Amino acid sequence: MKFASEFRDPALAKGLLAEIARLADQIGATAEKPVHIMEICGGHTHSIFRYGLDKLIHPGIEFIHGPGCPVCVLPRARVDECIEIAGRPEVIFCTFGDAMRVPGSKLSLMQAKAAGADIRMVYSPLDALELARRNPGREVVFFGLGFETTTPSTALAIQQAAREGLANFSVFCNHITVPEPIRALLDDPYMRLDGFIGPGHVSMVIGIHPYDFIAEDYGKPLVVAGFEPTDLLQSVLMVLRQISQGRAAIENQYARVVPEHGNRVSLAAIADVYERRPSFEWRGLGEIDASGLRIRAAYRAHDAEEKFGVGYAGQRAAVEEAEGCACGAVMTGRMKPVACAQFGKGCTPEMPLGALMVSSEGACAAYWQYGGARAAE
């Protein structure tokens, strides 16, 4: 398969693994004192387990799973607010399928749909825009969810709605940014991180320079990586080379996709439609300054928070995690999924306790999908 099989070449992978082992030995990495490398993106976590890289790599390299799954980092209160909006009789609530089974404090969106709410899965905010055109008597709300990867498409949909005067189209904005939670993790004195594998799809939009502070302020290397097995192995090797040379820099392994300065058209759309929130709540990390986006006043007619008085525009209720759920600890790298007492017992893909078991980028889902019952044991 062109542009895929080349990055799954066993001979190339063996060579990279051998060079990683050589460097790991050189810097004294062992299973007892490993080099801790955080893969920020949940897509990378799934690739690591899909291809068994955690088993093939030198025992002195430990992957730490980061908060790079937008569905997973969403606190339960935001799911409750989605259900509150969707429960209004005039509303058609649209969402990506990934969010349908994420539990709120009482229901998931899937359960709310079964109870009668008009909730529809869509593939793009443009699908929701089309529903607004076809249903002028209904309020169509799109669940704007994701990191910088999905933010531009929502921004473009809002711009189009404004041009067409579609007052019945709005977005419940939960778009968040990657760099700020990484700073929060680095400021945590209990976190032991030696380097990072940076998210490829996010960086396709924002470029590589928003991560400069990681090297400049904290002295840690970060390598933006692709998603194939040799992409990840090469990225680990690049991190180890920096460590062995006593330097810290932001490097781009995924240069075939990620431009240094990002996508200027996407960045312009984001800047036009959104502004930074003072803070935003993250599961497991709490409120993080300037880590979320909200819709600018110029597009307020399409802001579901303002229209329905929910979320940060209304009275927000504190919602605790479900009893026994360790999603926050897993997502911030403090715990492996199999260390959670509920993994594979009180929390399975069929009956999830937390978001990490149902999201396509969740660490618990990766362990379960590629390890299954063996992982639970």
Side-chain angles (χ1 to χ4, degrees), residues 40-43 66-74 96 144-155 173-182 199 201-203 205-206 211 270 274 276 280 282 285 288 291-293 331 359 361:
I40 298 168
C41 177
C69 164
V71 172
C72 305
V73 301
L74 200 69
F96 295 136
L145 176 65
F147 292 111
E148 294 92 338
T149 314
T150 56
T151 303
S153 60
T154 311
C173 184
N174 288 268
H175 287 299
I176 46 181
T177 57
V178 166
E180 287 70 26
I182 303 308
H201 293 153
V202 165
S203 305
V205 174
I206 66 174
Y211 311 115
I270 292 170
Y274 301 109
R276 295 274 181 167
F280 192 80
W282 292 61
L285 288 167
I288 300 177
S291 63
L293 302 177
M331 195 180 50
S359 169
E361 293 187 338

Side-chain angles (χ1 to χ4, degrees), residues 212-224:
D212 284 346
F213 73 94
I214 296 172
E216 293 171 358
D217 299 343
Y218 297 93
K220 306 293 184 184
L222 179 144
V223 177
V224 173

Side-chain angles (χ1 to χ4, degrees), residues 35 58 61 91 94 112 124 130 149 156 181 204 207-208 264 267 271 301 311 321 354 372 376:
V35 173
H58 188 280
I61 309 299
V91 167
C94 301
S124 161
E130 182 60 25
T149 314
L156 293 168
M204 179 179 63
I208 66 172
R264 297 185 186 278
L267 291 171
E321 289 286 354

